[in-house]
Amino acid sequence: MGGEIWSHQLDYFLTLMGYTVGVGSIWKFPYMCARNGGGSFLIPFIIFTLLGSVPLTYLEMFVGQYSRGGPISAWKICPPLRGVGLGSVMISWLFAIYYPVFFAWILYYLYFSFFPTLPWTQCNQEWNTQDCVDGTSHTNRTLTAYNSTALHSNFSDYGITTTLGMLTNMSTGNKSHVEISASEEFFRNKVLDMSDGVENLGALRWPLVGCLALTFLSVYLCLINGVKLSGKIVYVTVSCPYILILVFLVRSSSLPGAVDGVMFFIMPHFEKLIDPKVWMEALGLSLYQMGISYGFLITMAAHNPVNNNCFRDALFITLITLLSQIFFGFAVFCITGHVAFKRDVPIEHFQTSGFKLGFITYPEAASYLPLPQLWSVFLFVMLYTLGIDSLVPSYEVVTNMFSEWFPNFARRRWLLNACVLFPSFLLALPYMTQGGVYFLTLVEWYAFFPAIILFAMLECIVVGWIYGVKRIDKAMVLLWGKHLSPIISFLWRFACPILLAVMFAFSLYSYHPPQFEEYNFPPWAKWFGWLISVATVIPTPFLFIHSVYTATGDSLREKIRIAFQPKHRWATHNQDTDEDGTTPTTIELIAKT
């Protein structure tokens, strides 16, 4: 980690907040609430945040802080399973490659927000079709059926994207036909210029490529001086979204339909709680929002002083994230309630999902307000600042891995960052094609399952059983003067692994092949998706076999016993030194007590 320590504890907290309170708070959390009965979803979500997110966040912070290393070196705690650390970095890298796609779209929309007339508000543009209707047209028709195709995968709902489908069945007189909003046609036909499938990626969308380049440049500038600089940038990028959300909340709360949206958000429908899908999706989202198994928490906690109270940090950041999601939810449901009112749609039937909220519904809502250009600028500045706080730490995880592998190379931070970001930019270019949204859907569908659940389970097993809570308890007494809570010990050893196992089984049971609106992916695309899924998991069994095979010992049982011993210096501390000037490990310090 290069010995970097946070300049101030507030830098650390704001970096955590920036990552956990990302754009998912604006379009993922509201969609999951809407799909699962509004207030009904909040009940299991709060329960699993306390029972799942808090202990798992604490676990990863503990491992990172005590090892003073990233996801790779931290797994010296159990060398045969160091493939979990490598897999976590691979997940973060996959995420960091496709996540800038949304930034390119955001910058493109931000550019058009300065036009005298917002182009997604009219149907007389070159990209519009005869089926286009603008916001005014919606209010002059009677909606007889509304169907937003809500596609979801076994684990994709805990990522970023789910669907773009926004076709509305309208009835005018005796004729029934499909009408598409002007905001959707702008997104589909102007921004994306969509092809007919993943088989036809088409040409690069060069305006989006330029926006993508600007995004990677901004990330490079944030990374160039490590946490010393990125820890200061978050003061602006974290506070800005909260201010803008408050402005949106105050303004939108007075709009027609806002009260209906808020009531749907907070009032539970208890019959929904008998559906296991509601509970599993609440558990998945509670883990996703904290970045469990992404390597982020381990990497950021490694910059803390070794005697820092990481349980306090875990509890604080988890509760702040939960409250922020709810706060953002009020603003979002005021907006969606107003849009539903304008379209004469019952709020419970208005379920827009994934980035459709960010790039179709929200821009349309901004166009209904006085000075729509100003509100549109506010909207996309807010989305950009929310997202950049999740993107920069993701690349911190990746660059940290290479700095541990090549310490001499790590001293030239500018070159290390360039060597990571430039290939990532090239790998992101397929998403900038006309068929890029299909490719994005495919990758996001498979990238996180089953790796995230399996890695979280293995973390619990290693810390709770293999390394053991007794060792951890001794270390905490030595450093903090406090014992490990029996409740946390129970959650690490029993509750969390069981919850994760149930979620894994439910994900397998509910799995179905990827689909984008009415488009079905060809077999070769599905095999490619499974290849991505397996790629993040496969290092774990291979490195396990290698560790056991190369361990000393005359029998397999002896080799396994020796291989599972923590590396001698897995938890180096910088506060104390031995008489010979060497720095003792946690294990050595405990042995002396």
Side-chain angles (χ1 to χ4, degrees):
M1 300 296 294
E4 286 185 296
I5 298 294
W6 295 103
S7 301
H8 194 280
Q9 190 73 2
L10 185 58
D11 298 1
Y12 174 56
F13 284 141
L14 289 177
T15 300
L16 294 178
M17 286 178 59
Y19 185 91
T20 58
V21 186
V23 292
S25 303
I26 297 296
W27 61 44
K28 176 55 57 180
F29 174 73
Y31 166 63
M32 299 295 279
C33 284
R35 196 174 81 180
N36 293 289
S40 308
F41 183 78
L42 291 179
I43 296 173
F45 182 70
I46 293 172
I47 292 173
F48 286 134
T49 295
L50 298 176
L51 295 182
S53 295
V54 172
L56 289 173
T57 299
Y58 180 30
L59 184 151
E60 292 201 356
M61 285 183 173
F62 166 81
V63 171
Q65 184 172 299
Y66 278 34
S67 67
R68 302 300 301 278
I72 303 297
S73 60
W75 276 91
K76 292 178 182 178
I77 186 175
C78 184
L81 294 177
R82 64 186 185 274
V84 172
L86 180 57
S88 297
V89 175
M90 293 173 67
I91 289 175
S92 278
W93 204 348
L94 279 171
F95 172 78
I97 289 172
Y98 82 70
Y99 198 54
V101 174
F102 303 113
F103 291 80
W105 298 349
I106 290 170
L107 290 177
Y108 196 62
Y109 268 87
L110 184 61
Y111 166 73
F112 281 103
S113 298
F114 291 96
F115 279 38
T117 301
L118 296 178
W120 52 83
T121 62
Q122 297 181 337
C123 287
N124 58 352
Q125 310 288 343
E126 60 180 350
W127 56 82
N128 293 126
T129 67
Q130 61 182 0
D131 296 322
C132 177
V133 291
D134 58 25
T136 303
S137 301
H138 278 296
T139 61
N140 295 328
R141 288 171 168 82
T142 301
L143 183 67
T144 58
Y146 182 89
N147 177 31
S148 177
T149 309
L151 304 178
H152 52 91
S153 73
N154 51 314
F155 207 67
S156 71
D157 279 337
Y158 315 121
I160 298 299
T161 160
T162 51
T163 180
L164 286 173
M166 194 177 175
L167 298 180
T168 308
N169 298 318
M170 307 289 293
S171 179
T172 308
N174 296 322
K175 294 192 301 181
S176 179
H177 62 282
V178 174
E179 293 186 340
I180 306 176
S181 68
S183 57
E184 184 185 0
E185 287 209 342
F186 175 80
F187 183 58
R188 295 170 62 94
N189 303 337
K190 175 62 175 177
V191 179
L192 302 182
D193 191 16
M194 291 173 56
S195 67
D196 56 1
V198 72
E199 304 95 333
N200 179 23
L201 288 180
L204 284 169
R205 298 281 294 119
W206 288 107
L208 295 181
V209 172
C211 294
L212 184 71
L214 288 176
T215 299
F216 274 94
L217 178 61
S218 64
V219 173
Y220 178 81
L221 295 176
C222 292
L223 288 173
I224 197 165
N225 284 324
V227 297
K228 300 292 184 182
L229 176 60
S230 61
K232 301 303 181 186
I233 293 175
V234 291
Y235 282 77
V236 176
T237 56
V238 170
S239 58
C240 179
Y242 282 89
I243 295 172
L244 293 176
I245 278 289
L246 180 61
V247 173
F248 272 106
L249 176 60
V250 172
R251 180 63 186 90
S252 62
S253 61
S254 62
L255 297 174
V259 173
D260 294 334
V262 171
M263 293 303 295
F264 178 74
F265 176 51
I266 63 176
M267 294 298 293
H269 299 273
F270 291 104
E271 66 275 8
K272 284 278 188 179
L273 296 179
I274 63 176
D275 185 356
K277 180 175 72 72
V278 175
W279 291 83
M280 288 298 99
E281 292 192 350
L283 174 60
L285 185 61
S286 68
L287 300 181
Y288 162 76
Q289 69 173 359
M290 298 307 301
I292 303 298
S293 299
Y294 280 69
F296 160 74
L297 294 170
I298 292 176
T299 302
M300 296 300 107
H303 297 293
N304 281 327
V306 73
N307 59 351
N308 176 63
N309 187 343
C310 53
F311 176 71
R312 174 205 61 198
D313 298 347
L315 185 61
F316 173 81
I317 193 59
T318 307
L319 293 180
I320 285 292
T321 302
L322 173 62
L323 294 175
S324 297
Q325 301 266 25
I326 295 174
F327 170 59
F328 286 15
F330 278 102
V332 170
F333 277 92
C334 282
I335 294 172
T336 55
H338 178 60
V339 175
F341 172 82
K342 295 286 287 186
R343 295 183 179 178
D344 196 21
V345 181
I347 182 63
E348 60 270 16
H349 295 158
F350 187 77
Q351 297 179 16
T352 54
S353 58
F355 47 70
K356 185 173 66 177
L357 271 173
F359 298 103
I360 296 177
T361 304
Y362 295 159
E364 182 177 332
S367 69
Y368 297 148
L369 301 175
L371 300 175
Q373 290 82 0
L374 177 63
W375 292 104
S376 183
V377 169
F378 282 171
L379 168 65
F380 291 108
V381 167
M382 178 188 68
L383 291 176
Y384 194 89
T385 52
L386 273 173
I388 201 71
D389 293 327
S390 298
L391 184 59
V392 171
S394 297
Y395 276 110
E396 284 274 10
V397 174
V398 179
T399 56
N400 167 257
M401 177 185 70
F402 288 106
S403 66
E404 290 181 348
W405 286 353
F406 309 104
N408 294 330
F409 187 46
R411 296 188 182 96
R412 301 178 180 179
R413 188 186 298 275
W414 65 271
L415 183 58
L416 174 61
N417 292 332
C419 289
V420 170
L421 289 173
F422 184 68
S424 300
F425 169 75
L426 297 179
L427 290 171
L429 288 179
Y431 299 117
M432 297 292 99
T433 60
Q434 293 171 296
V437 69
Y438 300 100
F439 189 56
L440 173 65
T441 301
L442 182 68
V443 171
E444 197 275 335
W445 198 283
Y446 287 102
F448 306 107
F449 180 83
I452 286 180
I453 302 177
L454 292 178
F455 292 167
M457 290 176 61
L458 289 173
E459 288 175 357
C460 293
I461 293 171
V462 167
V463 173
W465 295 94
I466 298 176
Y467 186 74
V469 293
K470 290 185 178 179
R471 284 174 168 173
I472 294 174
D473 181 69
K474 289 181 180 179
M476 291 181 177
V477 171
L478 178 68
L479 296 172
W480 301 344
K482 298 180 181 179
H483 288 279
L484 176 67
S485 167
I487 297 176
I488 294 296
S489 176
F490 173 80
L491 292 174
W492 281 354
R493 301 179 72 193
F494 300 103
C496 287
I498 291 174
L499 286 174
L500 291 166
V502 172
M503 184 178 176
F504 179 77
F506 183 82
S507 298
L508 288 177
Y509 171 76
S510 60
Y511 168 79
H512 59 84
Q515 187 179 358
F516 179 84
E517 298 178 358
E518 301 301 321
Y519 172 76
N520 293 307
F521 286 84
W524 67 264
K526 298 172 187 176
W527 281 108
F528 178 76
W530 278 114
L531 182 63
I532 295 173
S533 181
V534 171
T536 56
V537 177
I538 203 66
T540 301
F542 274 97
L543 291 176
F544 179 89
I545 295 172
H546 178 266
S547 294
V548 173
Y549 179 77
T550 57
T552 59
D554 297 329
S555 65
L556 178 61
R557 182 176 181 180
E558 183 71 10
K559 283 178 174 287
I560 293 176
R561 185 188 66 82
I562 294 174
F564 271 84
Q565 293 298 316
K567 289 290 185 181
H568 185 57
R569 307 196 67 78
W570 89 271
T572 303
H573 290 192
N574 295 328
Q575 275 72 17
D576 303 288
T577 56
D578 287 335
E579 295 179 357
D580 60 359
T582 60
T583 304
T585 65
T586 302
I587 300 170
E588 292 168 338
L589 289 171
I590 293 172
K592 294 178 181 180
T593 60

